[in-house]
Amino acid sequence: MASTDYDVLVDMGFDKERAALAVKKTGGLQGALEWLEETQDKQLDELVGSSIPVLDEDNPDAEPPALKIGEEAHSLVCADCGKKFRSEAQASIHGEKSGHLNFEESTEEIAPLTADEKKAKLAELREKLAAKRSTMSEQDKIDKKKNEDIRKKSTKETQDIKEDLQKKEQIKEAAAKRREKVAEVAAKEKIRAKIAADKEERRLKAEKEKAARDGRAAPVPAAASPLATTSGPVSSKPASAYTETRLRLQTTNGNVQKSFPVDTTLFEVAAALGAESGFEAQSFVQNYPKKVFDQIDFGQTLKELGLVPSASLIVR
């Protein structure tokens, strides 16, 4: 059983719907091949919706249906480029696209493609289709890589934001725990001082009562030790012995000098500076020894950072 034009097109790899439409619109293998080549970039729905069954402006070289019985074969020749056309419709479309206006009638009948010509045409069309598919495949790879790069960048930015938020939360939590610890230590110290004072009071009371029973004068309480002054020699103390540290904070609005408990976190120092001067600290810089304390260090205490008993910091 001989293969039809439709079968040949399907065997070449064309979609069945597109092959059937090509044969229907052109009436022959030669025209179908040319029509398929011209319309390969169009969607099938767009081609189906076309109201011109044989020739249209997107298909100037398509071969019209075979001549019916009684019709005479004729052709037209473009005097500008020498191209031959089997119908006036083809010549008209060629003129609209190329701008050529000079056409002449010819008695020469345009012969259909021979078997070898059809074979060559098929091979040429296959090469064009393969080249187009290869180009589309490469473009798909490029587009896929671009999309993947965009996705990775978006994911990294989102991850960076999450990590930054987590660091800030950790700093806040560390500062809160440090404040709780300082408050707990202060409360315990207050209780110990109260217990010591009560104990001393009870001791003095007992001694007074005993002296009264023995007929002796009441003992005089020991005088409090005088506070050390800077006028006399001052013995040096290790950093661990200090309970407060003096900070000199250099800002663009001026210098601020404040004393803080050694258990104060750098986050609390920044908060106190912001409340007093309105300056929002992002980091602190110590000139000697050269150190930079950024927000990762904000959860540590002044004692842990070695800023005891005093330090000078540049606020940024």
Side-chain angles (χ1 to χ4, degrees), residues 102-155:
N102 300 317
F103 293 91
E104 299 175 355
E105 291 186 349
S106 173
T107 56
E108 181 181 355
E109 181 178 359
I110 299 176
L113 294 176
T114 64
D116 292 338
E117 289 174 337
K118 287 183 180 180
K119 185 177 180 180
K121 191 72 174 179
L122 290 173
E124 180 184 357
L125 188 54
R126 285 194 185 99
E127 290 178 0
K128 289 183 178 180
L129 291 173
K132 180 175 174 134
R133 291 192 184 111
S134 176
T135 302
M136 292 178 65
S137 177
E138 291 298 324
Q139 186 61 41
D140 288 342
K141 290 180 181 178
I142 294 173
D143 293 342
K144 185 177 180 180
K145 187 176 183 306
K146 287 182 179 178
N147 292 335
E148 182 65 17
D149 291 342
I150 292 172
R151 185 191 66 79
K152 287 181 179 179
K153 183 179 180 182
S154 176
T155 302

Side-chain angles (χ1 to χ4, degrees), residues 207-256:
E207 288 184 357
K208 285 180 181 180
E209 291 176 351
K210 183 178 179 182
R213 287 195 301 268
D214 296 341
R216 294 183 292 106
V220 180
S225 301
L227 296 174
T229 62
T230 56
S231 58
V234 179
S235 59
S236 61
K237 295 189 297 183
S240 59
Y242 288 91
T243 59
E244 284 191 346
T245 183
R246 297 186 305 277
L247 294 183
R248 183 172 181 269
L249 305 173
Q250 303 177 35
T251 71
T252 55
N253 299 331
N255 296 334
V256 177

Side-chain angles (χ1 to χ4, degrees), residues 13-71:
F14 289 103
D15 294 336
K16 292 182 179 180
E17 294 83 357
R18 192 179 287 268
L21 187 61
V23 175
K24 179 180 178 182
K25 282 184 173 286
T26 61
L29 181 60
Q30 179 181 352
L33 289 172
E34 294 175 351
W35 184 86
L36 287 169
E37 183 179 358
E38 293 290 334
T39 61
Q40 58 182 326
D41 294 328
K42 294 187 177 182
Q43 297 295 326
L44 183 62
D45 294 341
E46 183 182 356
L47 298 174
V48 172
S50 176
S51 60
I52 302 176
V54 178
L55 296 171
D56 57 35
E57 61 181 4
D58 294 325
N59 189 23
D61 297 326
E63 183 180 2
L67 296 175
K68 297 180 181 179
I69 299 175
E71 291 182 336

Side-chain angles (χ1 to χ4, degrees), residues 302-315:
L302 300 176
K303 186 175 182 180
E304 292 170 341
L305 294 172
L307 301 177
V308 177
S310 63
S312 179
L313 301 175
I314 302 173
V315 186

Side-chain angles (χ1 to χ4, degrees), residues 264-288:
T264 304
T265 63
L266 208 56
F267 178 82
E268 293 171 308
V269 173
L273 179 63
E276 181 173 326
S277 65
F279 190 89
E280 185 176 353
Q282 299 296 327
S283 64
F284 296 88
V285 179
Q286 185 180 34
N287 281 332
Y288 185 81

